[in-house]
Structure formats: C-alpha cells, structure tokens
C-alpha cells in the first residue's frame, strides 16, 4: 500500500475522471489507471465502476473513499504534530493569550 494510491483514489472520486485526475496528479493516464488497479487489488474489491461516464464509485468505493479521506487527514495531522510538537493537538485546550497562560 502506498499513500499515493489513496491520494489518487481521492482525486478520482472527486473529479470523476481518470484523465483529469491523472493530470492533477502529474502522471500519465495509463500509469494513473494502473495505480488505481493496484489499490483495488490491495483492497480485494472493485472501488470504481468503469462502465459509466463520468466515473462512479462502487458501493465499496464510496465507503473506502470516506476512510481514505480520514486516513490521509490523520497522516497529515500526525506529520504536522511531529514537525511542531509544541502545537496543541485536536481537542487539547489552548492557552488564551489574554489570560497569561
């Protein structure tokens, strides 16, 4: 599993176009399609209905999309926290500058 696969899948779900997503992700359309196929092989289920245009997600793809967004957001948040460990985490109370805390 490569996080690029998740990013590709999220892009495809949002643009509903293999060619447009490939452009946005700066890869050729055949390479982009192979990466989506690799993700589907890893997941063990079809995530994209290729018989329709614009592209639609399968029911499994719709569920996986929400999970992929959560995973990518969590990774991004974790990375930001590692880069700035003094920053308060989500849900952690923040000191108010006017209260001298």
């Amino acid at each position: 599993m490569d996080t690029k696969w998740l990013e590709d899948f999220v892009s495809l779900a949002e643009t509903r176009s293999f060619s447009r997503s490939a452009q946005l992700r700066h890869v050729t359309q055949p390479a982009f399609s192979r990466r989506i196929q690799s993700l589907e092989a890893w997941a063990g289920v079809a995530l994209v209905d290729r018989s329709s245009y614009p592209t639609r997600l399968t029911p499994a793809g719709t569920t996986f999309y929400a999970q992929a967004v959560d995973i990518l957001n969590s990774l991004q948040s974790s990375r930001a926290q590692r880069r700035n460990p003094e920053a308060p985490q989500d849900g952690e109370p923040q000191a108010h500058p006017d209260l001298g805390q």
Side-chain angles (χ1 to χ4, degrees), residues 12-101:
L12 179 59
E14 292 174 354
T15 66
R16 301 178 67 191
S17 167
F18 276 86
S19 59
R20 180 69 182 133
S21 286
Q23 265 184 333
L24 293 171
R25 301 285 297 141
H26 305 288
V27 296
T28 65
Q29 193 276 325
F32 182 84
S33 184
R34 283 191 301 272
R35 287 171 21 175
I36 296 298
Q37 289 173 334
S38 294
L39 178 62
E40 290 175 315
W42 178 87
V45 65
L47 301 172
V48 179
D49 177 1
R50 290 170 174 79
S51 68
S52 68
Y53 185 82
T55 302
R56 289 184 302 177
L57 300 181
T58 63
T62 300
T63 300
F64 192 78
Y65 169 73
Q67 294 168 336
V69 169
D70 287 345
I71 290 165
L72 291 171
N73 286 339
S74 180
L75 286 171
Q76 192 172 40
S77 175
S78 179
R79 181 178 182 208
Q81 182 62 33
R82 299 297 74 78
R83 289 181 173 197
N84 187 6
E86 289 81 33
Q89 295 185 21
D90 290 344
E92 186 176 305
Q94 297 182 22
H96 192 283
D98 294 337
L99 299 178
Q101 296 177 340

